[in-house]
Amino acid sequence: MRKSFQILFTLLLIFSWCSLFAQDKLLVNENNSSKTTMIDTWKPLDYHSEGTNAIFTDDMNGDNTVPGIQARGWYFDDVDGAGLTTTFQGNSTVFAAYEGPPEGYLGENFNGAFNGGLLIDQWLISPEVSVSAGDTLKFWQRSPDASLYPDHLQVWISTTAGTTAAAFDVQIGAFDGSTTGWWQYVQTFPAGGTVRFAVRYYVTNGGPNGNESDFIGLDYFEVVSGGPPCPVGVAINPTPTDGATDISLNPGNATWVNGDQTTQVEVFFGPAGSMASVYSGAPVSSYAIPGPLLYATTYNWKVVCKNDTCAGAPAATWSFTTLDDPNLVTVFEDYFENGSTNWTITNDGGTCVWQVFTPPYPNTYAMPNISGGVFAADADECGSSSTLLSTTTLATPLNLSMYQTAMLSFDSHFNALDVDDKGYVDVSIDGGTNWVNVLTYNGVDATAHESIDI
C-alpha cells in the first residue's frame, strides 16, 4: 500500500518586493507609566444589524493602502504631516478582521505621527453619499485587546462633500477604540444632502514617544436609509473554537449561542474557500458536522442571526483544522537551524536576496520559529532603497515516485508595500526544466499555514 507524505519546506519562492512594518506599540512604550484618558462624548454601541436598504457599503476586503482606497472613491488627508505609516492592509497577527479574510480591514497605527512626534491627525474620508436626515452610518472598529494606549477616534460630516479635513463642519462622534474586540459605531445623519463622512484618528500625545495611540482597525462601513432596522445580535461562543486544530474527522456537533432577538438563523459550512448554506430556518444552536472529514483540512463555518425585518449582522467566519493523517511520512523538513544549506539562492535582478534569521530576530515582525530560524526575503532589512527579486530553490531534488500523494506545508508571512508586490511558490517534476505554480501571493498581506497538494 502506498502512503501519502508531508513536506515541511518551501520549494520555490520569488518575491518582487517585500517590506514589513513593526506594529506593536507595547515594544515602544513599555516603559511609559503615566497615561491620560479621554472623556468620551459618545460611546460606541454593541449594536449588530444589517439592513437590506443600503445606500453605501464597503466591506474593506479590498486593497486598503492609500492608492487602494482612493481607487474606491475614498480620500485620505494626513493633516499632521507624513508619518511612517498612513493607511494599510489589516494585520491578522495583531487581530483578525470583523468579517471576510483575516486581513480584510483598514489599519492605522502610532507610526502615523509626523516625524516621530506626538501628534496624529489622520482623516479617512468616504466617497460621496446622498442621505436624508435620520439615515444611519455604521462601521466596526477596534484596537488590540487590553491595549494600554488609547486610540482616539472622531466621526465628522462634510455637508459640502469636501475631500479635505478643512471641509468637515459637523462632528457626530468621539470615542476610544474598543479594547474588547470589535464594536460597531452606529449614528444617524443630522441632516440630508450629498455629504461625505470621515473617521479622524486624532491623538495629541501619541506616536512612538507618546503615552497614547496603538493600532486601530476599521471594517465594514454601511450607510442605510432610515434608522437602524433591527438590533439582532451576532452568534458567539463557537465550538469548535475559532482556529482550533487537531479536530477529529468525526467532530460531532458544532454549537454556538445565538444573538439577541434572533428568530431565524442560517448556517454556512464547508472547506475553506467553499463554504455553502447548510441550514436556514427556525433558531437552532447546533449543527451536525457531516463526517468523516478530510485529514489536515481547514473548514470554515458561520451562523447568521436574523429576524423578519433584519438580514442580520455580517457574521464572523470561524475555522477549525482536522488532525494530520497518521499515515503521513515526512520525507523532508527544514527548520533552518543550519542556515540555508539545503537551498540554492539566486539574485534575479534586485539588491536583496533570501537569508536566514535566527533569534533574536532583527525585526519584531519576524514569524517566530522556536525550532530554528526563519527563511525570509526582507527588503526592510536590506535597506529602504533596496529592491527584491530573488529565488530560493531546493538544492537536492526529492524522489517521490513511490508515494501516491505529496503535500507541501509551510508557514508564511507576506507583507506587501503595494499591489505590485508578488510572491510565487512553484513546483517542478522534471529537474527544473518546467515549473508549475501552486501558490501566488498577490499584493495583499497574508499570514497563514499553507498545506498544498502538489
Side-chain angles (χ1 to χ4, degrees):
M1 173 181 170
R2 294 185 176 182
K3 294 184 178 181
S4 59
F5 70 94
Q6 186 175 28
I7 315 172
L8 272 65
F9 75 111
T10 303
L11 276 178
L12 174 68
L13 294 180
I14 307 172
F15 284 73
S16 59
W17 181 267
C18 180
S19 182
L20 305 171
F21 294 95
Q23 294 172 328
D24 187 351
K25 181 61 180 288
L26 299 180
L27 296 176
V28 176
N29 272 3
E30 60 186 359
N31 296 320
N32 289 350
S33 57
S34 62
K35 301 288 183 289
T36 62
T37 60
M38 182 182 78
I39 299 173
D40 292 349
T41 59
W42 188 87
K43 291 286 188 181
L45 300 174
D46 189 10
Y47 182 87
H48 312 279
S49 69
E50 180 186 49
T52 58
N53 50 346
I55 299 170
F56 165 82
T57 61
D58 190 333
D59 59 15
M60 311 312 284
N61 291 340
D63 177 8
N64 293 318
T65 62
V66 171
I69 61 172
Q70 288 175 339
R72 303 201 301 273
W74 295 79
Y75 286 80
F76 183 77
D77 193 357
D78 197 348
V79 174
D80 64 79
L84 292 178
T85 59
T86 51
T87 70
F88 47 79
Q89 199 72 34
N91 187 337
S92 59
T93 64
V94 180
F95 48 75
Y98 169 71
E99 57 80 43
E103 70 283 353
Y105 65 91
L106 180 144
E108 298 176 70
N109 72 354
F110 64 95
N111 278 323
F114 172 66
N115 202 26
L118 299 177
L119 176 63
I120 300 174
D121 193 359
Q122 298 182 336
W123 293 68
L124 175 67
I125 299 170
S126 78
E128 285 187 357
V129 289
S130 296
V131 299
S132 300
D135 287 347
T136 304
L137 167 65
K138 302 184 288 182
F139 62 88
W140 295 83
Q141 56 77 30
R142 66 168 295 179
S143 293
D145 285 341
S147 173
L148 301 178
Y149 305 95
D151 292 305
H152 306 324
L153 302 174
Q154 300 175 3
V155 183
W156 288 75
I157 305 296
S158 171
T159 57
T160 60
T163 59
T164 63
F168 284 79
D169 47 354
V170 179
Q171 182 178 352
I172 62 171
F175 53 92
D176 287 356
S178 166
T179 56
T180 55
W182 287 99
W183 281 62
Q184 190 180 41
Y185 175 92
V186 180
Q187 185 63 283
T188 57
F189 288 87
T194 300
V195 304
R196 295 180 190 268
F197 62 87
V199 180
R200 183 189 189 189
Y201 188 21
Y202 182 66
V203 185
T204 58
N205 185 22
N209 299 309
N211 294 326
E212 300 173 320
S213 77
D214 190 346
F215 183 109
I216 64 167
L218 303 172
D219 202 359
Y220 208 91
F221 284 84
E222 291 180 277
V223 176
V224 297
S225 60
C230 61
V232 176
V234 296
I236 59 173
N237 298 342
T239 301
T241 57
D242 187 26
T245 58
D246 295 327
I247 298 298
S248 166
L249 301 192
N250 293 287
N253 289 343
T255 64
W256 61 90
V257 175
N258 289 318
D260 294 339
Q261 303 189 39
T262 297
T263 62
Q264 305 167 39
V265 300
E266 185 170 9
V267 181
F268 296 80
F269 178 81
S274 300
M275 241 188 345
S277 178
V278 294
Y279 174 83
S280 182
V284 294
S285 56
S286 68
Y287 167 69
I289 299 174
L293 303 177
L294 299 175
Y295 285 114
T297 301
T298 297
Y299 290 86
N300 287 345
W301 63 295
K302 68 178 180 179
V303 178
V304 178
C305 296
K306 313 175 184 180
N307 68 15
D308 290 338
T309 60
C310 177
T317 297
W318 301 314
S319 69
F320 65 83
T321 303
T322 53
L323 51 80
D324 289 337
D325 187 339
N327 293 319
L328 288 179
V329 176
T330 300
V331 174
F332 173 84
E333 64 182 1
D334 193 345
Y335 291 98
F336 306 107
E337 306 98 323
N338 301 315
S340 56
T341 56
N342 291 318
W343 304 85
T344 300
I345 299 171
T346 60
N347 186 342
D348 303 314
T351 59
C352 188
V353 299
W354 286 87
Q355 57 187 310
V356 173
F357 296 147
T358 55
Y361 300 121
N363 297 305
T364 58
Y365 49 69
M367 184 174 60
N369 180 347
I370 60 174
S371 300
V374 172
F375 204 21
D378 185 356
D380 263 1
E381 187 62 23
C382 294
S384 59
S385 61
S386 61
T387 58
L388 180 56
L389 182 58
S390 180
T391 304
T392 181
T393 310
L394 191 63
T396 303
L398 302 174
N399 182 1
L400 311 180
S401 59
M402 72 290 293
Y403 298 105
Q404 184 175 8
T405 60
M407 297 298 297
L408 167 64
S409 299
F410 57 93
D411 293 317
S412 66
H413 181 105
F414 182 78
N415 194 315
L417 278 177
D418 55 45
V419 295
D420 293 327
D421 298 342
K422 294 178 173 61
Y424 305 92
V425 182
D426 292 357
V427 173
S428 173
I429 61 171
D430 58 8
T433 301
N434 297 287
W435 294 89
V436 175
N437 180 254
V438 295
L439 180 65
T440 296
Y441 298 91
N442 195 4
V444 178
D445 291 356
T447 300
H449 174 75
E450 306 289 357
S451 188
I452 303 167
D453 185 349
I454 59 171

